[in-house]
Amino acid sequence: QVQLVESGGGLVQAGGSLRLSCAASGIIVTITRMGWYRQATGRQRELVGTITSAGTTNYADSLKGRFTTSRDNPKSPMYLQMNSLKPEETGVYYCKAEGLAGSQYWGQGTQVTVSS
């Protein structure tokens, strides 16, 4: 089983930066890709960015150049560096892991609040 725990959320002013982390443990399957998703109240959960076990990243177009997903290696925590944050980006940010067989695992999320 895979357990994912997000941390690093909090309150930040518009234009500020925040770094989230996702720690994975209890891994007994091969994880091929991890990613960050976010969900604001009343809105659908959306992709922020993903990173494969080889380090290849993918981002929502609107976030390219401003958000960065990274891992030192596939067994290290995954980070999300968020810069120039906007109030509308307030929400719960979730960590996701995908297994070789197509299995999916989700963390409980961490709250990010961007004040104006």
Side-chain angles (χ1 to χ4, degrees):
Q1 183 57 254
V2 176
Q3 293 92 49
L4 303 174
V5 180
E6 304 95 335
S7 62
L11 176 65
V12 63
Q13 293 195 62
S17 299
L18 205 61
R19 189 179 78 158
L20 308 182
S21 65
C22 173
S25 63
I27 300 173
I28 58 174
V29 299
T30 299
I31 301 300
T32 59
R33 184 169 65 176
M34 296 185 69
W36 289 98
Y37 295 76
R38 66 186 181 188
Q39 185 170 24
T41 301
R43 298 178 62 181
Q44 184 176 326
R45 190 174 300 184
E46 63 181 354
L47 168 73
V48 173
T50 61
I51 184 166
T52 70
S53 59
T56 301
T57 56
N58 180 62
Y59 300 95
D61 288 342
S62 63
L63 304 180
K64 290 180 180 178
R66 190 161 60 88
F67 282 23
T68 303
T69 299
S70 65
R71 281 188 296 169
D72 292 337
N73 61 69
K75 293 188 178 296
S76 298
M78 176 180 65
Y79 300 99
L80 178 66
Q81 179 66 47
M82 305 183 291
N83 299 323
S84 301
L85 283 162
K86 307 171 183 178
E88 60 265 34
E89 293 175 317
T90 291
V92 179
Y93 285 67
Y94 296 90
C95 176
K96 177 187 177 183
E98 300 173 10
L100 185 62
S103 57
Q104 300 180 53
Y105 309 90
W106 292 89
Q108 294 299 304
T110 185
Q111 176 70 39
V112 171
T113 302
V114 185
S115 65
S116 60

Coordinates of all heavy atoms in Angstrom, one line a residue, residues 55-92:
G55 N 11.8 11.7 -14.1 CA 11.9 13.1 -13.9 C 11.3 14.0 -15.0 O 11.4 15.2 -14.9
T56 N 10.5 13.4 -15.9 CA 9.8 14.2 -16.9 C 8.6 14.9 -16.2 O 7.8 14.3 -15.6 CB 9.3 13.3 -18.0 OG1 10.5 12.7 -18.6 CG2 8.6 14.2 -19.1
T57 N 8.5 16.2 -16.5 CA 7.4 17.0 -15.9 C 6.4 17.4 -16.9 O 6.6 17.5 -18.1 CB 7.9 18.2 -15.1 OG1 8.7 19.0 -16.1 CG2 8.8 17.8 -14.0
N58 N 5.2 17.7 -16.4 CA 4.1 18.2 -17.2 C 3.3 19.1 -16.3 O 3.0 18.8 -15.1 CB 3.2 17.0 -17.7 CG 2.0 17.5 -18.5 OD1 2.2 18.1 -19.6 ND2 0.8 17.3 -18.0
Y59 N 2.9 20.2 -16.9 CA 2.1 21.2 -16.1 C 0.9 21.7 -16.8 O 0.8 21.7 -18.1 CB 3.0 22.5 -15.8 CG 4.3 22.2 -15.1 CD1 5.5 22.0 -15.8 CD2 4.3 22.1 -13.7 CE1 6.6 21.7 -15.1 CE2 5.4 21.9 -13.0 CZ 6.6 21.6 -13.7 OH 7.8 21.4 -13.0
A60 N -0.1 22.2 -16.1 CA -1.1 22.9 -16.7 C -0.5 24.1 -17.4 O 0.4 24.8 -16.9 CB -2.1 23.4 -15.6
D61 N -1.0 24.4 -18.6 CA -0.4 25.5 -19.4 C -0.3 26.8 -18.7 O 0.7 27.5 -18.8 CB -1.2 25.7 -20.7 CG -1.1 24.5 -21.7 OD1 -0.1 23.8 -21.5 OD2 -1.9 24.4 -22.6
S62 N -1.4 27.2 -17.9 CA -1.4 28.5 -17.2 C -0.4 28.6 -16.1 O -0.1 29.7 -15.7 CB -2.8 28.8 -16.7 OG -3.1 27.8 -15.7
L63 N 0.2 27.5 -15.7 CA 1.1 27.4 -14.6 C 2.6 27.3 -15.0 O 3.5 27.4 -14.1 CB 0.7 26.3 -13.6 CG -0.7 26.4 -13.0 CD1 -1.0 25.2 -12.1 CD2 -1.0 27.7 -12.3
K64 N 2.8 27.0 -16.2 CA 4.2 26.8 -16.7 C 5.0 28.0 -16.4 O 4.6 29.2 -16.7 CB 4.2 26.5 -18.2 CG 3.6 25.1 -18.5 CD 3.6 24.8 -20.0 CE 3.1 23.4 -20.3 NZ 3.1 23.2 -21.8
G65 N 6.2 27.8 -15.9 CA 7.1 28.9 -15.6 C 6.9 29.5 -14.2 O 7.7 30.3 -13.8
R66 N 5.8 29.2 -13.6 CA 5.5 29.8 -12.3 C 5.4 28.7 -11.2 O 5.8 29.0 -10.0 CB 4.1 30.5 -12.3 CG 3.8 31.4 -11.1 CD 2.7 32.4 -11.5 NE 1.5 31.8 -12.0 CZ 0.5 31.4 -11.2 NH1 0.6 31.6 -9.9 NH2 -0.6 30.8 -11.7
F67 N 4.9 27.5 -11.5 CA 4.9 26.4 -10.6 C 5.9 25.4 -11.1 O 6.1 25.2 -12.3 CB 3.5 25.7 -10.6 CG 2.5 26.5 -9.8 CD1 2.6 27.8 -9.5 CD2 1.4 25.8 -9.3 CE1 1.6 28.5 -8.8 CE2 0.4 26.4 -8.5 CZ 0.5 27.8 -8.3
T68 N 6.6 24.7 -10.1 CA 7.6 23.7 -10.5 C 7.4 22.5 -9.6 O 7.4 22.6 -8.4 CB 9.0 24.2 -10.3 OG1 9.2 25.4 -11.1 CG2 10.0 23.2 -10.7
T69 N 7.3 21.3 -10.2 CA 7.2 20.0 -9.5 C 8.6 19.4 -9.6 O 9.2 19.3 -10.7 CB 6.1 19.1 -10.1 OG1 4.9 19.8 -10.0 CG2 6.1 17.8 -9.4
S70 N 9.1 18.9 -8.5 CA 10.4 18.3 -8.5 C 10.5 17.1 -7.5 O 9.8 17.1 -6.5 CB 11.5 19.3 -8.2 OG 11.3 19.9 -6.9
R71 N 11.5 16.3 -7.8 CA 11.9 15.2 -6.9 C 13.4 15.0 -7.1 O 13.8 14.9 -8.2 CB 11.1 13.9 -7.1 CG 9.7 13.8 -6.6 CD 9.2 12.4 -6.8 NE 9.1 12.0 -8.2 CZ 8.9 10.8 -8.6 NH1 8.8 9.8 -7.8 NH2 8.8 10.5 -9.9
D72 N 14.1 14.8 -6.0 CA 15.5 14.5 -6.1 C 15.7 13.1 -6.7 O 16.7 12.9 -7.5 CB 16.2 14.6 -4.8 CG 16.3 16.0 -4.2 OD1 16.2 16.9 -5.0 OD2 16.4 16.1 -3.0
N73 N 14.9 12.2 -6.4 CA 14.9 10.8 -7.0 C 13.5 10.2 -6.7 O 12.7 10.8 -5.9 CB 16.0 9.9 -6.4 CG 15.9 9.7 -4.9 OD1 14.9 9.0 -4.4 ND2 16.8 10.3 -4.1
P74 N 13.2 9.1 -7.3 CA 11.8 8.6 -7.2 C 11.4 8.2 -5.8 O 10.2 8.1 -5.6 CB 11.8 7.3 -8.1 CG 12.9 7.7 -9.1 CD 13.9 8.4 -8.4
K75 N 12.3 8.1 -4.9 CA 11.9 7.7 -3.5 C 12.0 8.9 -2.6 O 11.7 8.8 -1.4 CB 12.8 6.6 -3.0 CG 12.6 5.3 -3.7 CD 13.3 4.1 -3.1 CE 13.0 2.8 -3.8 NZ 11.6 2.5 -3.6
S76 N 12.3 10.1 -3.1 CA 12.4 11.3 -2.3 C 11.0 12.0 -2.3 O 10.2 11.7 -3.1 CB 13.4 12.3 -2.9 OG 14.7 11.7 -2.9
P77 N 10.8 12.9 -1.3 CA 9.6 13.6 -1.3 C 9.4 14.4 -2.6 O 10.4 14.8 -3.3 CB 9.7 14.6 -0.1 CG 10.7 13.9 0.8 CD 11.7 13.2 -0.2
M78 N 8.2 14.6 -3.1 CA 7.9 15.4 -4.2 C 7.6 16.8 -3.7 O 6.8 17.0 -2.8 CB 6.7 14.8 -5.0 CG 6.3 15.7 -6.2 SD 4.9 15.0 -7.1 CE 3.6 15.1 -5.9
Y79 N 8.1 17.8 -4.4 CA 7.8 19.2 -4.0 C 7.1 20.0 -5.1 O 7.1 19.6 -6.3 CB 9.2 19.9 -3.8 CG 10.0 19.3 -2.7 CD1 11.0 18.5 -3.0 CD2 9.7 19.6 -1.3 CE1 11.8 17.9 -2.0 CE2 10.5 19.0 -0.3 CZ 11.5 18.1 -0.7 OH 12.3 17.6 0.3
L80 N 6.4 21.0 -4.6 CA 5.7 21.9 -5.5 C 6.1 23.3 -5.1 O 5.6 23.7 -4.1 CB 4.2 21.7 -5.5 CG 3.4 22.7 -6.4 CD1 3.7 22.4 -7.9 CD2 1.9 22.6 -6.1
Q81 N 6.9 23.9 -5.9 CA 7.3 25.3 -5.7 C 6.3 26.2 -6.4 O 6.1 26.1 -7.6 CB 8.7 25.6 -6.2 CG 9.1 27.0 -6.0 CD 9.3 27.4 -4.5 OE1 9.8 26.6 -3.7 NE2 8.7 28.5 -4.1
M82 N 5.6 27.0 -5.6 CA 4.6 27.9 -6.2 C 5.0 29.4 -6.0 O 5.2 29.8 -4.9 CB 3.2 27.7 -5.5 CG 2.8 26.2 -5.6 SD 1.1 26.0 -4.9 CE 1.5 26.3 -3.1
N83 N 5.1 30.1 -7.1 CA 5.5 31.5 -7.1 C 4.4 32.4 -7.6 O 3.6 31.9 -8.4 CB 6.8 31.7 -7.9 CG 8.0 30.9 -7.4 OD1 8.2 30.7 -6.2 ND2 8.8 30.4 -8.3
S84 N 4.5 33.6 -7.3 CA 3.5 34.6 -7.7 C 2.1 34.1 -7.5 O 1.3 34.2 -8.5 CB 3.8 35.0 -9.2 OG 5.1 35.5 -9.4
L85 N 1.8 33.7 -6.4 CA 0.5 33.1 -6.1 C -0.6 34.2 -6.2 O -0.5 35.3 -5.8 CB 0.5 32.5 -4.7 CG 1.1 31.1 -4.6 CD1 1.5 30.7 -3.2 CD2 0.2 30.0 -5.2
K86 N -1.8 33.7 -6.6 CA -3.0 34.5 -6.8 C -4.1 34.1 -5.9 O -4.2 32.9 -5.5 CB -3.4 34.4 -8.3 CG -2.4 34.7 -9.3 CD -2.9 34.4 -10.7 CE -1.8 34.6 -11.7 NZ -2.3 34.2 -13.1
P87 N -4.9 35.0 -5.4 CA -6.0 34.6 -4.5 C -6.9 33.5 -5.0 O -7.4 32.7 -4.3 CB -6.8 36.0 -4.4 CG -5.8 37.0 -4.6 CD -4.9 36.5 -5.6
E88 N -7.1 33.5 -6.4 CA -8.0 32.4 -6.9 C -7.4 31.1 -6.9 O -8.0 30.1 -7.2 CB -8.4 32.8 -8.4 CG -7.2 33.0 -9.3 CD -6.8 34.4 -9.5 OE1 -6.9 35.2 -8.5 OE2 -6.4 34.8 -10.6
E89 N -6.1 31.0 -6.5 CA -5.4 29.7 -6.4 C -5.5 29.1 -5.0 O -4.9 28.1 -4.7 CB -4.0 29.9 -6.8 CG -3.9 30.1 -8.3 CD -2.5 30.4 -8.8 OE1 -1.7 31.2 -8.1 OE2 -2.1 29.9 -9.9
T90 N -6.3 29.8 -4.1 CA -6.6 29.2 -2.8 C -7.4 27.9 -3.0 O -8.3 27.8 -3.9 CB -7.5 30.2 -2.1 OG1 -6.8 31.4 -1.7 CG2 -8.1 29.6 -0.8
G91 N -7.0 26.9 -2.2 CA -7.7 25.7 -2.3 C -6.9 24.6 -1.6 O -5.9 24.8 -0.9
V92 N -7.4 23.4 -1.7 CA -6.7 22.2 -1.2 C -5.9 21.6 -2.2 O -6.3 21.3 -3.3 CB -7.7 21.2 -0.6 CG1 -6.9 20.0 0.0 CG2 -8.6 21.8 0.5

